Amino acid sequence: MGGFLTWFWGAWSGGLDVAETCTLLKGQKYDDAYRTEHWREPSQLFPLHNKCNASYDLVPAWVNPMLVLLAFLAVAGLIAAVWATVVRLRRLWQRCRPSSAL
């Protein structure tokens, strides 16, 4: 959930009108020629970028590293859950198995 919320925050950091956000809210020059040349950048899933011009990105600098960290933690948590389940099932199997020493 944290990964989705972080991605959503980064993806919508420019708002609906990027030119207005750049100029009025961030005080940056909106470079239409740069945006036309790099039109694919804002629609990428990763890494997130939404630049006003060549030097200013509306996506905060912490968003992309946080996405990597949260993805790593999710995978590590999944591996730990699978490992714990396997250990628990193995112990249960050893307890329930009929004894062969008669």
Side-chain angles (χ1 to χ4, degrees):
M1 187 66 176
F4 173 75
L5 291 174
T6 302
W7 180 86
F8 190 78
W9 181 274
W12 288 99
S13 61
L16 294 176
D17 188 354
V18 177
E20 190 174 284
T21 303
C22 291
T23 330
L24 297 177
L25 296 178
K26 302 297 181 178
Q28 295 292 320
K29 179 182 177 279
Y30 179 76
D31 188 356
D32 194 37
Y34 178 85
R35 296 276 301 184
T36 303
E37 187 176 326
H38 298 92
W39 61 274
R40 289 185 183 163
E41 274 187 4
S43 62
Q44 297 183 133
L45 291 177
F46 184 81
L48 294 174
H49 292 292
N50 199 358
K51 294 186 175 187
C52 296
N53 50 49
S55 62
Y56 189 81
D57 197 351
L58 290 172
V59 177
W62 59 268
V63 170
N64 289 317
M66 183 62 72
L67 288 173
V68 172
L69 176 66
L70 291 173
F72 173 76
L73 290 175
V75 170
L78 182 63
I79 290 171
V82 168
W83 179 77
T85 302
V86 168
V87 168
R88 184 173 286 172
L89 287 174
R90 187 179 298 158
R91 287 180 185 164
L92 183 65
W93 174 256
Q94 288 175 351
R95 256 191 262 152
C96 295
R97 192 168 53 171
S99 178
S100 60
L102 288 176

